[in-house]
């Protein structure tokens, strides 16, 4: 299983929100590159980079941070947040992201997402399927929909998606454990899908449970920043 540390960006700084609430923000480091280099020095190879300003403004904002981290590390970066247009996608790939996560666009502009999949291939486009009470949430989780998460994922699997990042918004940032049932259900329904679990990871036991479930990867954010898990511990389980 791949351990994928997360850096969430607001105004170019590494922050974490609680349950996606921009009013519950905690800043961890004004220099995200330092954080990324610490991950790389610990032997981790991937990074989940989220542009929270972009998610709010519906355009890529923090592309300079992406460019800096991509140029100064060898991390495999997947980037999400605010990617709404062909220009956004071009910026993200030109700045060094290996993969792009599309969430809101998959809901609001599915034709564009389908075209990106066809043009760039399923190895470069990740489906963002963030859910609150099993209903899809978009635009930095500020908007809820009535779309059932499993119907949503099924549609995109039929369109060729290979990777999905699914965050249970209700659990994110609370350090109370991930939504194991959500990931079990996704694995059972879509056995060929690379499921990446996100949100709620609080300790190594959570990570080991996800590893036993054979999910493709787990995104770990607040648990690292709050010292609940160490980078040394994560090395032992990283695929």
């Amino acid at each position: 299983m791949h351990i994928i540390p997360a850096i969430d960006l607001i105004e170019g700084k590494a922050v974490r929100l609680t349950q996606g609430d921009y009013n519950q923000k905690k800043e961890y480091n004004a220099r995200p590159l330092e954080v990324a280099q610490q991950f790389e020095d610990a032997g981790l190879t991937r990074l989940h980079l989220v542009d929270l300003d972009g998610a709010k403004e519906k355009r890529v904002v923090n592309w300079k941070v992406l460019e800096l981290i991509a140029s100064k590390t060898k991390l495999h970066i997947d980037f999400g947040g605010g990617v709404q247009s062909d220009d956004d996608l071009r910026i993200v790939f030109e700045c060094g992201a290996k993969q792009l996560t599309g969430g809101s666009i998959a809901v609001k502009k599915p034709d564009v997402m389908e075209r990106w999949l066809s043009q760039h291939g399923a190895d470069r486009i990740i489906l963002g399927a963030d859910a609150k009470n099993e209903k899809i949430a978009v635009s930095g989780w500020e908007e809820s929909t009535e779309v059932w998460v499993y119907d949503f994922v099924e549609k995109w699997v039929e369109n060729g998606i290979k990777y999905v990042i699914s965050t249970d918004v209700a659990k994110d940032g609370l350090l109370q454990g991930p939504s194991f049932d959500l990931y079990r259900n996704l694995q059972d329904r879509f056995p060929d899908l690379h499921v990446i679990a996100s949100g709620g990871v609080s300790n190594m036991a959570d990570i080991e449970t996800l590893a036993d479930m054979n999910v493709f990867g787990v995104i770990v954010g607040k648990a690292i920043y709050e010292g609940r898990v160490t980078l040394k511990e994560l090395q032992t389980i990283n695929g």
Side-chain angles (χ1 to χ4, degrees), residues 208-221:
E208 285 159 3
T209 299
L210 290 165
D212 289 341
M213 290 166 55
N214 291 319
V215 296
F216 175 82
V218 56
I219 292 171
V220 189

Side-chain angles (χ1 to χ4, degrees), residues 72-209:
K72 300 288 187 184
T73 74
K74 293 179 180 175
L75 293 168
H76 176 114
I77 302 171
D78 77 76
F79 184 93
V83 185
Q84 295 285 306
S85 68
D86 290 345
D87 271 349
D88 290 325
L89 175 133
R90 177 184 54 76
I91 289 166
V92 167
F93 284 151
E94 284 182 359
C95 288
K98 298 291 189 218
Q99 291 178 298
L100 165 78
T101 300
S104 300
I105 194 159
V107 176
K108 299 190 169 185
K109 301 178 185 172
D111 53 328
V112 175
M113 182 81 161
E114 285 174 24
R115 179 161 50 77
W116 289 355
L117 259 176
S118 141
Q119 289 173 345
H120 298 278
D123 286 330
R124 299 208 74 186
I125 308 293
I126 302 172
L127 178 67
D130 298 339
K132 194 168 189 176
N133 301 318
E134 296 194 336
K135 299 289 178 66
I136 291 293
V138 295
S139 301
W141 305 340
E142 292 194 313
E143 294 177 47
S144 296
T145 73
E146 289 303 310
V147 181
W148 198 37
V149 62
Y150 305 113
D151 288 345
F152 179 69
V153 172
E154 182 174 23
K155 176 203 166 178
W156 285 104
V157 167
E158 289 170 356
N159 280 321
I161 275 286
K162 287 185 187 175
Y163 294 85
V164 62
I165 293 173
S166 188
T167 306
D168 186 336
V169 178
K171 291 182 175 289
D172 190 67
L174 293 181
L175 299 170
Q176 293 175 359
S179 186
F180 294 115
D181 288 344
L182 173 64
Y183 306 121
R184 278 194 194 94
N185 290 338
L186 286 170
Q187 297 264 101
D188 290 345
R189 287 166 184 261
F190 313 107
D192 296 329
L193 190 62
H194 296 325
V195 175
I196 299 168
S198 169
V201 169
S202 62
N203 53 40
M204 284 303 293
D206 289 339
I207 294 169
E208 285 159 3
T209 299

